[in-house]
Amino acid sequence: MERAREHDACPGALSVHRAADGALARIRLPGGVITAGQLAALAAAARDFGSEAMELTSRGNIQIRGIRHPAAVADAVAAAGLLPSETHETVRNIVASPLSGRSGGAADVRDWVPRLDREIRSEPALAALPGRFLFGIDDGRGDISALGADAGVQVLGSTVAVLLAGRDSGVRVPATDAVDALRIIATRFTAARGTAWRVAELDDPTPLLDGFEVTARPAPLPLPPRPPVGWLPQHDGRVTLAAGVPLGVLTARVAEFLAAIEAPLVVTPWRSVLVCDLDEGVADTAVRVLAPLGLIFDENSPWLRISACTGLPGCAQSAADVRADAASAATAARAGVAAGVHRHFVGCDRACGTPPGAEVLVATGDGYRPRTAHP
């Protein structure tokens, strides 16, 4: 695929994007993991130096918009321990099964995420990896594999399947080799990509697997489970609360309430937040406090089937205030959304942030039209 520009302008905490509403910083959270103190620090940075409306991304990261003092935000991110490498900050794009080790799944892959993050940061060549390249670690339930990561692994009992661009390659490796396989594939992609930003853009991705043995017939991946929402019992008898965040907009005030619970937190690729390892009494109190603040704990809520890009006024490319239109669709008679159908409102044909399998509606300036091709 030929790109109109070769420079990858994905923002980070240091390399901000100049949007219509000011500078935008994207803070990478490998595996979506963030501590209560770190979330509180980001909320304070958003309130002090930018827009209080932080954004959760489809890669489990957090964005701060409307930044007036980029250096101050970068300092706050670093002080919170969320900027361990200045050279590799934009390439630490790792999604992993967010409930792994706590509920469901065939294996606990939580330790794989920091291991892969260290591997990425220790490889100088990977500083040149495009900021759009995505690593995926699926604990066997199929939630992350469905996201089409460039380099992914999925647990299959005693072995791990290696995936390229969300497709089974037929390569199987021991679980102990999964992180090394991801690093090798990414390093080879960096050397051979030309102007490609994603593995799917390569004419032939098979050289990325040189030296790996294909031992199985590539198989289609099973349908992913529904994203987790609500009260989720853990293996250890404690509780995880999975809170949907309408349109992925997490205000600094709500973030501070989440941080005040002082529990482990995970930002998911479905723009929700998991509050983990809670005793039942604490979980019950948390729901009573968080639900009135707008967080969603009802798996049948129409807000969970509606999403949107930034739109106006934040993005100058947009033809409409798509978030306002999406909110109207969610609140007005459930917008005629049938069960199982997800609608994604976008301001232009770039269709930023489109979830897999979503029905995409593109603003025209005079309503919306369906987009027939996924970006």
Side-chain angles (χ1 to χ4, degrees):
M1 177 185 293
E2 289 296 326
R3 290 286 185 184
R5 57 183 172 83
E6 295 186 11
H7 175 62
D8 180 10
C10 283
L14 300 176
S15 53
V16 298
H17 169 67
R18 299 291 175 177
D21 57 347
L24 179 153
R26 182 177 300 158
I27 297 93
R28 265 66 178 189
L29 307 176
V33 175
I34 185 170
T35 68
Q38 289 170 335
L39 182 60
L42 293 186
R47 173 177 287 118
D48 293 343
F49 307 117
S51 167
E52 291 192 25
M54 300 186 293
E55 297 175 334
L56 309 185
T57 78
S58 60
R59 295 180 167 198
N61 297 319
I62 293 180
Q63 294 184 163
I64 299 176
R65 305 189 65 91
I67 297 172
R68 300 177 296 278
H69 303 291
V73 170
D75 288 344
V77 172
L82 293 170
L83 188 60
S85 170
E86 294 186 4
T87 56
H88 291 65
E89 66 136 342
T90 64
V91 303
R92 302 166 59 238
N93 299 300
I94 306 170
V95 289
S97 298
L99 284 170
S100 191
R102 292 187 168 100
S103 176
D108 185 349
V109 300
R110 285 177 292 179
D111 289 345
W112 300 13
V113 174
R115 283 174 49 203
L116 177 57
D117 188 25
R118 290 192 296 269
E119 291 279 346
I120 292 169
R121 289 185 279 116
S122 65
E123 176 54 66
L126 290 182
L129 192 67
R132 299 190 180 198
F133 190 97
L134 181 63
F135 296 91
I137 299 176
D138 192 305
D139 70 358
R141 74 188 72 212
D143 57 349
I144 294 302
S145 296
L147 302 179
D150 295 278
V153 291
Q154 178 166 334
V155 175
L156 297 176
S158 60
T159 63
V160 172
V162 175
L163 313 180
L164 289 181
R167 296 178 181 273
D168 184 3
S169 67
V171 171
R172 303 290 184 263
V173 298
T176 52
D177 295 340
V179 168
D180 285 340
L182 293 173
R183 174 185 52 79
I184 289 168
I185 290 169
T187 304
R188 289 175 178 172
F189 175 80
T190 303
R193 71 182 185 88
T195 59
W197 293 341
R198 307 293 305 274
V199 166
E201 297 168 10
L202 296 175
D203 293 331
D204 179 14
T206 55
L208 301 180
L209 298 172
D210 286 349
F212 291 99
E213 184 179 0
V214 176
T215 59
R217 183 187 298 273
L221 299 175
L223 292 175
R226 292 183 65 179
V229 176
W231 183 289
L232 307 173
Q234 296 183 178
H235 299 313
D236 62 3
R238 293 183 291 180
V239 174
T240 286
L241 292 179
V245 179
L247 302 182
V249 178
L250 183 68
T251 66
R253 177 171 180 263
V254 175
E256 288 169 345
F257 273 90
L258 285 167
I261 301 172
E262 296 186 340
L265 301 165
V266 182
V267 177
T268 80
W270 308 285
R271 298 182 173 91
S272 59
V273 179
L274 305 186
V275 189
C276 307
D277 302 342
L278 302 176
D279 294 333
E280 289 193 0
V282 175
D284 183 68
T285 300
V287 170
R288 295 175 185 273
V289 172
L290 296 174
L293 295 174
L295 296 184
I296 307 298
F297 297 96
D298 177 7
E299 64 179 8
N300 296 312
S301 170
W303 284 104
L304 301 178
R305 302 192 299 275
I306 295 287
S307 57
C309 70
T310 298
L312 291 175
C315 177
Q317 303 298 318
S318 180
D321 184 347
V322 296
R323 280 186 177 160
D325 293 339
S328 296
T331 56
R334 295 182 178 265
V337 179
V341 175
H342 186 107
R343 287 184 175 175
H344 186 63
F345 289 73
V346 298
C348 70
D349 271 309
R350 293 176 63 189
C352 293
T354 299
E359 175 185 319
V360 181
L361 301 176
V362 184
T364 64
D366 187 27
Y368 288 83
R369 61 172 174 79
R371 190 182 195 274
T372 57
H374 191 282

